[in-house]
Amino acid sequence: MPELPEVETIRRQLCDAGVEGRTIERCRIEWPRTVEPLTPAQFSRAVGGRTIERLRRHGKWLIVELDGPDNLLVHLRMTGGFYGTHGRLKKGPHDRAVLQLSGGLNLHFRDPRKFGRWRLGDHPHGLGPDALTVTRKEFFRQIENRNSPLKVLLLDQSVVAGVGNIYADEALFEASLDPRRRSATLSAAEKSALHGAVRKVIRAGVRNKGTSLGTGQGNYVDLNGQSGGHREKVKVYGRAGEPCIHCGTPLQKTIVAQRTTVFCPQCQK
Ligand SMILES: [Zn+2]
C-alpha cells in the first residue's frame, strides 16, 4: 500500500516526465467509482481543457494543481499508480482513468484493486502536517493532549500525514518505543526521538524510491514500472519471528488498531 515515500516518488517522476505545464485535452474515466460522487461525464468536463500548473503532495495525497478553481486530488489507496504512454491511446487492463495531455502524453491511472480515488477540491481535508517536513514543534503540538497507543497515533492522518503501516513500525523501532505504549506517557526526550525517527524513516523511504513488498500485480511500482528499492532496508515490518538486527531477540507480532504490528520486545520500551 503506497505511503508517503511511494507517492512522493511518483510525484517526482511525473515532474520528470514533464507533466507540469501540459493541458488536459481529454479525461477518460474507465471505472466510475474512482471519481464518485461525480459521474465520469461531470468529472471529465470539469478537468478537460485545464492546465496542470504544479504537482504537489500532502501526506499520501497527490495534488494536481490546475489553473482555475479546484485541483485534482488523487489518493492511490491500496494499489493505485501511474504510467505514461505516448501517441495513440491504448488502454491497459487495469486502467481506471486516463488523462490525455497536450504533446501526446497519456497518463494512465492503473489500479487493480480499484480503491484509488480522484476528487476535485482545493486541498485534501483533515490532514496534519506532512511527515516529510513536520517540525519538532509541530509534532509536539500534534501529539499533545492525545493518549492513544503510539501505533494508532502514527497511523492517524490528522496527527501527521503520510505514515502507514510499514513506516509506522519502522519509526517505532527506530525510536525504541513499544507500539502499544500510550502517547501521554512519553517523556520529552522520547517524543523527540519519535519525531526524529518518523522523519528519518520517511526520508530514507523517499531516497530509496519507496517500498515494494512483493511482485504481484497489485504491488507498488513507480512510473517506470520499477519496484521500490526500500524492501531490503526494512528492519521490522513483515519480519515477525526473525531476529532483531540489534539484539537478536525474535521480533514479535501483535495487533494494534486492527493492524498487524511487528516490534522487538527487548529493544522497544
Ligand atoms: Zn532488539
Side-chain angles (χ1 to χ4, degrees):
M1 169 140 45
E3 300 182 30
L4 189 158
E6 292 74 45
V7 181
E8 178 62 15
T9 299
I10 287 171
R11 186 192 72 79
R12 291 177 183 187
Q13 291 175 335
L14 290 171
C15 289
D16 291 346
V19 166
E20 288 172 329
R22 291 189 198 241
T23 298
I24 300 171
E25 291 181 344
R26 196 163 170 212
C27 168
R28 305 167 69 120
I29 305 299
E30 309 292 340
W31 181 254
R33 282 193 55 195
T34 301
V35 298
E36 270 182 355
L38 296 186
T39 65
Q42 286 171 326
F43 198 92
S44 300
R45 240 192 335 268
V47 303
R50 312 269 302 272
T51 298
I52 298 173
E53 294 191 325
R54 204 153 72 98
L55 296 167
R56 288 192 295 124
R57 182 195 52 72
H58 190 128
K60 303 179 201 172
W61 283 88
L62 178 68
I63 302 165
V64 182
E65 267 187 24
L66 303 174
D67 62 335
D70 280 341
N71 296 314
L72 167 57
L73 312 175
V74 177
H75 200 294
L76 306 174
R77 297 277 185 87
M78 301 286 288
T79 58
F82 285 94
Y83 67 97
T85 60
H86 290 272
R88 203 172 67 85
L89 183 63
K90 197 166 160 265
K91 280 182 289 182
H94 300 292
D95 285 1
R96 306 304 170 204
V98 183
L99 295 177
Q100 291 179 271
L101 304 178
S102 53
L105 177 63
N106 308 310
L107 203 54
H108 303 245
F109 181 63
R110 179 185 181 277
D111 186 18
R113 300 277 302 270
K114 306 177 186 168
F115 291 117
R117 290 295 174 260
W118 286 24
R119 298 269 178 274
L120 290 179
D122 202 29
H123 195 85
H125 292 297
L127 299 181
D130 188 75
L132 187 60
T133 53
V134 61
T135 65
R136 187 173 176 275
K137 201 170 153 192
E138 286 170 328
F139 188 77
F140 274 51
R141 191 168 51 222
Q142 288 300 102
I143 66 176
E144 258 167 32
N145 306 318
R146 294 188 194 247
N147 194 21
S148 357
L150 294 176
K151 176 75 181 262
V152 175
L153 191 85
L154 290 183
L155 292 179
D156 184 342
Q157 301 298 298
S158 72
V159 173
V160 55
V163 179
N165 213 25
I166 302 174
Y167 296 95
D169 282 7
E170 293 302 307
L172 288 165
F173 180 72
E174 186 67 36
S176 303
L177 292 168
D178 189 311
R180 301 161 297 185
R181 178 97 173 265
R182 296 227 161 230
S183 48
T185 69
L186 293 187
S187 68
E190 287 172 325
K191 281 185 218 173
S192 231
L194 185 57
H195 168 252
V198 167
R199 294 276 307 265
K200 185 178 171 184
V201 299
I202 290 284
R203 273 203 309 267
V206 170
R207 210 164 40 238
N208 295 310
K209 299 190 168 60
T211 305
S212 302
L213 297 172
T215 51
Q217 64 173 11
N219 277 287
Y220 165 74
V221 290
D222 68 15
L223 194 62
N224 308 313
Q226 300 293 309
S227 294
H230 200 60
R231 181 69 186 99
E232 316 77 73
K233 314 262 188 333
V234 167
K235 292 173 183 158
V236 285
Y237 180 85
R239 295 191 58 231
E242 294 177 38
C244 166
I245 58 160
H246 293 323
C247 72
T249 304
L251 298 174
Q252 258 179 37
K253 184 155 84 172
T254 182
I255 304 287
V256 186
Q258 290 102 51
R259 304 297 296 277
T260 299
T261 299
V262 182
F263 68 106
C264 173
Q266 189 66 33
C267 296
Q268 294 177 251
K269 300 296 178 199

